[in-house]
Amino acid sequence: MKQDRGKYKTLFLSTFKLSACTFGGGFVIIPLMRKKFVEELHWIEEQEMMDLTAIAQSSPGAIAVNASILVGYHVAGITGAFITVLGTVLPPLVIISIISFFYRAFRDNVIVNMAMTGMLAGVAAVICDVVITMGKTIFRQKRILPVAVLLLSFVAVRFLNVNIILIILICGVVGAADTFYHEKKRGA
């Protein structure tokens, strides 16, 4: 029981700190969660984190909250999911509540606007890091289908303006069929 409390405490504090120090949306928190739970704590394998990230991205809602739910559940079940959600939503809730009281002062402040512009560049860099990290994992598999899905999805979204929901659904079906095929092949 004491070990569970320690794990719960670590889950809460980790997600709380990550959420409190993350600006720029959910994609920014993913590499930080990866570093914490995969590299530092070794609670999640690299491939599992990639899978959890894919599920978090394709699920409705905020990616940071979705990823926290999945990581918390993976590490400590339903209680872990509740703890990580609380740790993830509390900092923005408190910060936004405080900022809302002083919104008029912040809105027109030149220094605040310059700081936000600087943060935007940092956020773009972190998102690029996520793309490169996830891309490396896909290319390391040395299989043609995941790379083809990656490239075709990019072309469909970027150049052909295909609806992202359709892309997600098609990729989910292709991924499920591919997994089913390889599992059946492995079992035969």
Side-chain angles (χ1 to χ4, degrees):
M1 185 69 170
K2 192 170 185 159
Q3 185 181 15
D4 285 345
R5 277 193 230 158
K7 186 177 272 190
Y8 295 151
K9 181 180 175 185
T10 303
L11 271 173
F12 177 79
L13 290 175
S14 297
T15 54
F16 186 89
K17 289 175 190 174
L18 291 173
S19 184
C21 300
T22 303
F23 295 93
F27 286 108
V28 177
I29 203 169
I30 297 296
L32 300 174
M33 289 178 95
R34 186 185 149 278
K35 183 175 177 90
K36 184 68 175 180
F37 295 112
V38 175
E39 293 178 9
E40 290 178 21
L41 296 173
H42 304 288
W43 284 352
I44 301 174
E45 296 294 320
E46 181 76 35
Q47 185 59 46
E48 290 173 318
M49 189 65 196
M50 293 294 296
D51 294 342
L52 295 176
T53 301
I55 294 168
Q57 271 183 267
S58 58
S59 300
I63 189 171
V65 175
N66 292 345
S68 294
I69 290 169
L70 294 168
V71 166
Y73 184 79
H74 182 77
V75 171
I78 291 175
T79 307
F82 282 120
I83 288 170
T84 54
V85 166
L86 187 62
T88 301
V89 299
L90 224 88
L93 181 67
V94 170
I95 292 168
I96 289 173
S97 297
I98 292 169
I99 288 174
S100 69
F101 287 115
F102 305 103
Y103 175 72
R104 289 194 184 273
F106 283 126
R107 180 182 67 189
D108 299 325
N109 189 308
V110 174
I111 294 171
V112 171
N113 285 329
M114 288 177 8
M116 292 297 181
T117 302
M119 281 191 221
L120 190 60
V123 167
V126 172
I127 290 173
C128 285
D129 178 58
V130 171
V131 170
I132 290 168
T133 302
M134 291 178 80
K136 281 182 187 175
T137 304
I138 289 170
F139 284 107
R140 274 192 216 128
Q141 292 179 1
K142 296 182 181 172
R143 291 182 37 221
I144 294 172
L145 185 62
V147 174
V149 168
L150 171 82
L151 296 174
L152 290 172
S153 297
F154 175 76
V155 168
V157 171
R158 179 74 174 123
F159 300 110
L160 304 176
N161 294 322
V162 176
N163 188 315
I164 192 71
I165 295 171
L166 183 60
I167 299 292
I168 290 170
L169 291 173
I170 291 170
C171 289
V173 169
V174 170
D178 185 51
T179 301
F180 179 75
Y181 171 77
H182 284 290
E183 289 296 319
K184 192 171 182 178
K185 186 176 170 184
R186 198 178 317 170

